[in-house]
mmCIF file of all heavy atoms in Angstrom:
data_model
loop_
_atom_site.group_PDB
_atom_site.id
_atom_site.type_symbol
_atom_site.label_atom_id
_atom_site.label_comp_id
_atom_site.label_asym_id
_atom_site.label_seq_id
_atom_site.Cartn_x
_atom_site.Cartn_y
_atom_site.Cartn_z
ATOM 1 N N GLU A 218 118.357 119.927 117.235
ATOM 2 C CA GLU A 218 117.256 119.858 118.193
ATOM 3 C C GLU A 218 115.998 120.522 117.653
ATOM 4 O O GLU A 218 114.883 120.150 118.019
ATOM 5 C CB GLU A 218 117.635 120.536 119.525
ATOM 6 C CG GLU A 218 118.780 119.874 120.259
ATOM 7 C CD GLU A 218 120.147 120.265 119.702
ATOM 8 O OE1 GLU A 218 120.300 121.382 119.151
ATOM 9 O OE2 GLU A 218 121.060 119.432 119.770
ATOM 10 N N GLY A 219 116.143 121.513 116.769
ATOM 11 C CA GLY A 219 114.989 122.236 116.237
ATOM 12 C C GLY A 219 114.342 121.569 115.037
ATOM 13 O O GLY A 219 113.185 121.841 114.718
ATOM 14 N N MET A 220 115.069 120.704 114.355
ATOM 15 C CA MET A 220 114.554 120.067 113.141
ATOM 16 C C MET A 220 113.291 119.244 113.390
ATOM 17 O O MET A 220 112.323 119.351 112.630
ATOM 18 C CB MET A 220 115.655 119.216 112.505
ATOM 19 C CG MET A 220 115.292 118.627 111.158
ATOM 20 S SD MET A 220 114.313 117.119 111.200
ATOM 21 C CE MET A 220 115.304 116.054 112.189
ATOM 22 N N PRO A 221 113.223 118.413 114.440
ATOM 23 C CA PRO A 221 111.991 117.634 114.649
ATOM 24 C C PRO A 221 110.747 118.520 114.813
ATOM 25 O O PRO A 221 109.673 118.177 114.333
ATOM 26 C CB PRO A 221 112.273 116.840 115.920
ATOM 27 C CG PRO A 221 113.759 116.714 115.946
ATOM 28 C CD PRO A 221 114.265 118.021 115.393
ATOM 29 N N ARG A 222 110.899 119.668 115.462
ATOM 30 C CA ARG A 222 109.768 120.584 115.631
ATOM 31 C C ARG A 222 109.264 121.060 114.277
ATOM 32 O O ARG A 222 108.058 121.111 114.026
ATOM 33 C CB ARG A 222 110.179 121.779 116.495
ATOM 34 C CG ARG A 222 109.062 122.798 116.720
ATOM 35 C CD ARG A 222 109.543 124.032 117.495
ATOM 36 N NE ARG A 222 110.760 124.618 116.961
ATOM 37 C CZ ARG A 222 110.810 125.436 115.893
ATOM 38 N NH1 ARG A 222 109.724 125.726 115.238
ATOM 39 N NH2 ARG A 222 111.964 125.946 115.497
ATOM 40 N N ILE A 223 110.178 121.361 113.373
ATOM 41 C CA ILE A 223 109.794 121.825 112.036
ATOM 42 C C ILE A 223 109.051 120.719 111.286
ATOM 43 O O ILE A 223 108.025 120.970 110.648
ATOM 44 C CB ILE A 223 111.029 122.301 111.258
ATOM 45 C CG1 ILE A 223 111.599 123.558 111.922
ATOM 46 C CG2 ILE A 223 110.697 122.577 109.798
ATOM 47 C CD1 ILE A 223 112.957 123.966 111.406
ATOM 48 N N VAL A 224 109.546 119.508 111.375
ATOM 49 C CA VAL A 224 108.898 118.386 110.692
ATOM 50 C C VAL A 224 107.515 118.124 111.295
ATOM 51 O O VAL A 224 106.548 117.893 110.567
ATOM 52 C CB VAL A 224 109.781 117.122 110.737
ATOM 53 C CG1 VAL A 224 109.055 115.918 110.173
ATOM 54 C CG2 VAL A 224 111.073 117.362 109.972
ATOM 55 N N ARG A 225 107.387 118.186 112.622
ATOM 56 C CA ARG A 225 106.078 118.006 113.266
ATOM 57 C C ARG A 225 105.109 119.101 112.838
ATOM 58 O O ARG A 225 103.940 118.832 112.558
ATOM 59 C CB ARG A 225 106.225 117.996 114.790
ATOM 60 C CG ARG A 225 106.721 116.696 115.350
ATOM 61 C CD ARG A 225 106.555 116.638 116.864
ATOM 62 N NE ARG A 225 107.182 117.750 117.554
ATOM 63 C CZ ARG A 225 108.423 117.728 118.067
ATOM 64 N NH1 ARG A 225 109.149 116.625 117.966
ATOM 65 N NH2 ARG A 225 108.918 118.769 118.688
ATOM 66 N N ASN A 226 105.595 120.341 112.773
ATOM 67 C CA ASN A 226 104.741 121.450 112.343
ATOM 68 C C ASN A 226 104.306 121.277 110.888
ATOM 69 O O ASN A 226 103.173 121.589 110.525
ATOM 70 C CB ASN A 226 105.456 122.788 112.522
ATOM 71 C CG ASN A 226 105.599 123.179 113.974
ATOM 72 O OD1 ASN A 226 104.936 122.628 114.847
ATOM 73 N ND2 ASN A 226 106.475 124.131 114.249
ATOM 74 N N GLN A 227 105.222 120.786 110.065
ATOM 75 C CA GLN A 227 104.872 120.546 108.667
ATOM 76 C C GLN A 227 103.790 119.472 108.580
ATOM 77 O O GLN A 227 102.836 119.604 107.811
ATOM 78 C CB GLN A 227 106.103 120.134 107.866
ATOM 79 C CG GLN A 227 105.803 119.908 106.400
ATOM 80 C CD GLN A 227 107.034 119.529 105.594
ATOM 81 O OE1 GLN A 227 108.146 119.498 106.116
ATOM 82 N NE2 GLN A 227 106.822 119.235 104.334
ATOM 83 N N LEU A 228 103.909 118.417 109.364
ATOM 84 C CA LEU A 228 102.898 117.370 109.386
ATOM 85 C C LEU A 228 101.545 117.932 109.836
ATOM 86 O O LEU A 228 100.509 117.633 109.232
ATOM 87 C CB LEU A 228 103.331 116.228 110.304
ATOM 88 C CG LEU A 228 102.335 115.094 110.474
ATOM 89 C CD1 LEU A 228 102.048 114.404 109.137
ATOM 90 C CD2 LEU A 228 102.849 114.096 111.499
ATOM 91 N N ALA A 229 101.557 118.757 110.867
ATOM 92 C CA ALA A 229 100.305 119.368 111.344
ATOM 93 C C ALA A 229 99.678 120.247 110.260
ATOM 94 O O ALA A 229 98.464 120.231 110.060
ATOM 95 C CB ALA A 229 100.570 120.187 112.607
ATOM 96 N N LEU A 230 100.504 121.004 109.551
ATOM 97 C CA LEU A 230 99.996 121.834 108.463
ATOM 98 C C LEU A 230 99.343 120.977 107.384
ATOM 99 O O LEU A 230 98.251 121.290 106.900
ATOM 100 C CB LEU A 230 101.118 122.679 107.845
ATOM 101 C CG LEU A 230 100.702 123.446 106.588
ATOM 102 C CD1 LEU A 230 99.756 124.581 106.926
ATOM 103 C CD2 LEU A 230 101.917 123.949 105.844
ATOM 104 N N HIS A 231 100.001 119.882 107.026
ATOM 105 C CA HIS A 231 99.446 119.026 105.986
ATOM 106 C C HIS A 231 98.140 118.372 106.431
ATOM 107 O O HIS A 231 97.197 118.272 105.638
ATOM 108 C CB HIS A 231 100.456 117.973 105.536
ATOM 109 C CG HIS A 231 101.571 118.551 104.736
ATOM 110 N ND1 HIS A 231 101.382 119.385 103.666
ATOM 111 C CD2 HIS A 231 102.907 118.426 104.858
ATOM 112 C CE1 HIS A 231 102.537 119.738 103.159
ATOM 113 N NE2 HIS A 231 103.480 119.172 103.875
ATOM 114 N N LEU A 232 98.069 117.949 107.675
ATOM 115 C CA LEU A 232 96.819 117.360 108.172
ATOM 116 C C LEU A 232 95.685 118.382 108.124
ATOM 117 O O LEU A 232 94.557 118.051 107.718
ATOM 118 C CB LEU A 232 97.008 116.805 109.579
ATOM 119 C CG LEU A 232 97.966 115.617 109.696
ATOM 120 C CD1 LEU A 232 98.148 115.208 111.155
ATOM 121 C CD2 LEU A 232 97.503 114.443 108.861
ATOM 122 N N ALA A 233 95.979 119.618 108.502
ATOM 123 C CA ALA A 233 94.962 120.676 108.410
ATOM 124 C C ALA A 233 94.588 120.945 106.956
ATOM 125 O O ALA A 233 93.410 121.148 106.631
ATOM 126 C CB ALA A 233 95.479 121.950 109.081
ATOM 127 N N THR A 234 95.571 120.928 106.089
ATOM 128 C CA THR A 234 95.307 121.156 104.664
ATOM 129 C C THR A 234 94.407 120.069 104.103
ATOM 130 O O THR A 234 93.509 120.352 103.301
ATOM 131 C CB THR A 234 96.636 121.201 103.882
ATOM 132 O OG1 THR A 234 97.465 122.211 104.438
ATOM 133 C CG2 THR A 234 96.393 121.513 102.421
#
Side-chain angles (χ1 to χ4, degrees):
E218 297 80 28
M220 186 278 304
R222 180 185 49 80
I223 293 169
V224 174
R225 281 193 305 266
N226 289 344
Q227 182 179 356
L228 177 62
L230 173 71
H231 288 310
L232 294 176
T234 303

